[in-house]
Amino acid sequence: MVQKTFAIYTQLEGTARLYIEAGMSQLACWIKDLQTGQVQAFELFEFDQDKALINFGEIFRLIKLHSKILESSYAGTTIIWENEECLLVPEKYAYRVSAGDYLDMVYGHAPGAITAQQPALTANAIFRAPRSWKEELDKHFPFAKYTHKFQGIYAGNHATDITDGVRVFFYRGHFFLILYRDSQLQLIRRFAYQTPEDVVYYILNTFEQYDLSPAETDVCISGLIDLRSALYSELYKYLQNLKVEEYNDEGMEDAAFGEYPYHYFLPFLKTVG
């Protein structure tokens, strides 16, 4: 029911903050030393989305059973919702209708969901998540700070020099596409996919919608993509300016991380807001 995909440990001691990224079919957790910023451990668990929607409590019980990270207490906890249902609304429009109404207009009504609204630089992030998941996580982390993946993506780009073009963060079975033009965020969107052709279609369709040329637009990828895979080959075939995001001091100097390509971890560690 739960598969542990990554288990990387350098040390599990000292003063650290715990990060949990909760997606609809995976949960990642890692800890960062508060003084050095070094990532001390990282785990990724994958599970069946349909079963999690029915009984997330059982899924999380199994995750805790197999997690070394979650055995300990930390100086603080940040929980990041990694789902599709988030809007970044400019501040001047954020309170014209309720947060729930904004989400209902775009994603449809979701009975039993919790809704939140938080500032995100020049915008407000309006998002929702399953209420049962929030209640379960609250039992274990009653003082946790909650945020959304879109907030971290938005803040992470502004924390560095903004580069025009497309960034793609790959997960198992879905990806995030982020588009910047004229140093302004144009789009953050989560796409589910089954085949490499699906991914290429969504990216090229976005190019067409925004009048971009594949020959002139940089596409920077990272996340759970094997550079020897059919997916990478398909992307390379159609995207002339395809690049793999390089390691850039995300606190993964320890040799334990060197067993894996650094780009696997960047969508998690670069988007914690």
Side-chain angles (χ1 to χ4, degrees):
M1 184 180 286
V2 170
Q3 178 181 346
K4 193 174 188 178
T5 307
F6 288 106
I8 302 170
Y9 310 103
T10 64
Q11 62 181 55
L12 294 171
E13 58 187 25
T15 304
R17 186 170 188 88
L18 169 65
Y19 294 89
I20 296 174
E21 183 174 298
M24 303 308 292
S25 58
Q26 87 286 318
L27 185 142
C29 50
W30 64 96
I31 53 175
K32 292 186 74 171
D33 186 279
L34 291 178
Q35 294 183 335
T36 66
Q38 295 299 300
V39 180
Q40 298 177 338
F42 181 94
E43 296 174 334
L44 178 64
F45 298 88
E46 296 179 282
F47 47 82
D48 182 86
Q49 176 175 328
D50 293 335
K51 292 180 179 178
L53 288 172
I54 295 170
N55 190 352
F56 179 71
E58 175 62 12
I59 295 291
F60 193 70
R61 183 189 72 80
L62 292 172
I63 289 173
K64 284 203 72 178
L65 184 66
H66 296 288
S67 172
K68 288 185 179 180
I69 291 177
L70 298 180
E71 291 176 350
S72 303
S73 299
Y74 302 98
T77 301
T78 296
I79 297 176
I80 305 151
W81 294 120
E82 187 273 292
N83 63 1
E84 180 181 16
E85 298 179 348
C86 179
L87 300 171
L88 292 175
V89 180
E91 286 180 335
K92 62 181 178 180
Y93 301 118
Y95 297 98
R96 293 194 175 182
V97 300
S98 72
D101 287 343
Y102 267 124
L103 292 165
D104 287 349
M105 284 188 286
V106 176
Y107 300 110
H109 186 53
I114 56 100
T115 300
Q117 182 164 331
Q118 296 178 359
L121 299 177
T122 60
N124 274 32
I126 298 171
F127 56 91
R128 66 188 180 196
R131 183 178 300 275
S132 61
W133 294 36
K134 172 72 161 51
E135 291 173 349
E136 180 66 29
L137 292 171
D138 280 347
K139 293 178 189 176
H140 303 277
F141 312 102
F143 303 107
K145 169 191 172 184
Y146 285 86
T147 183
H148 194 277
K149 187 73 173 178
F150 283 23
Q151 290 174 268
I153 291 172
Y154 186 44
N157 276 280
H158 279 266
T160 58
D161 292 333
I162 298 173
T163 302
D164 285 355
V166 170
R167 297 179 72 191
V168 182
F169 295 151
F170 282 102
Y171 288 75
R172 204 86 67 192
H174 67 277
F175 65 92
F176 287 89
L177 187 152
I178 305 100
L179 168 62
Y180 269 86
R181 184 163 57 184
D182 299 328
S183 299
Q184 298 295 317
L185 177 67
Q186 304 294 313
L187 177 71
I188 301 177
R189 188 169 174 187
R190 182 184 188 273
F191 294 94
Y193 73 93
Q194 293 183 329
T195 68
E197 291 77 13
D198 292 340
V199 177
V200 171
Y201 169 79
Y202 289 131
I203 294 175
L204 293 182
N205 188 52
T206 300
F207 280 17
E208 184 176 348
Q209 290 178 356
Y210 286 85
D211 194 26
L212 299 172
S213 167
E216 299 175 358
T217 304
D218 289 339
V219 179
C220 191
I221 62 173
S222 61
L224 301 180
I225 177 171
D226 187 334
L227 302 186
R228 299 164 297 179
S229 65
L231 172 56
Y232 181 79
S233 296
E234 195 73 7
L235 292 170
Y236 189 81
K237 187 189 307 182
Y238 290 96
L239 304 172
Q240 290 89 329
N241 292 318
L242 183 67
K243 303 175 182 178
V244 179
E245 188 161 2
E246 297 179 353
Y247 169 66
N248 185 25
D249 190 22
E250 299 304 327
M252 298 184 296
E253 284 86 351
D254 194 276
F257 284 94
E259 296 181 19
Y260 304 95
Y262 282 120
H263 71 263
Y264 280 7
F265 307 100
L266 296 182
F268 301 99
L269 304 182
K270 289 180 72 71
T271 59
V272 294

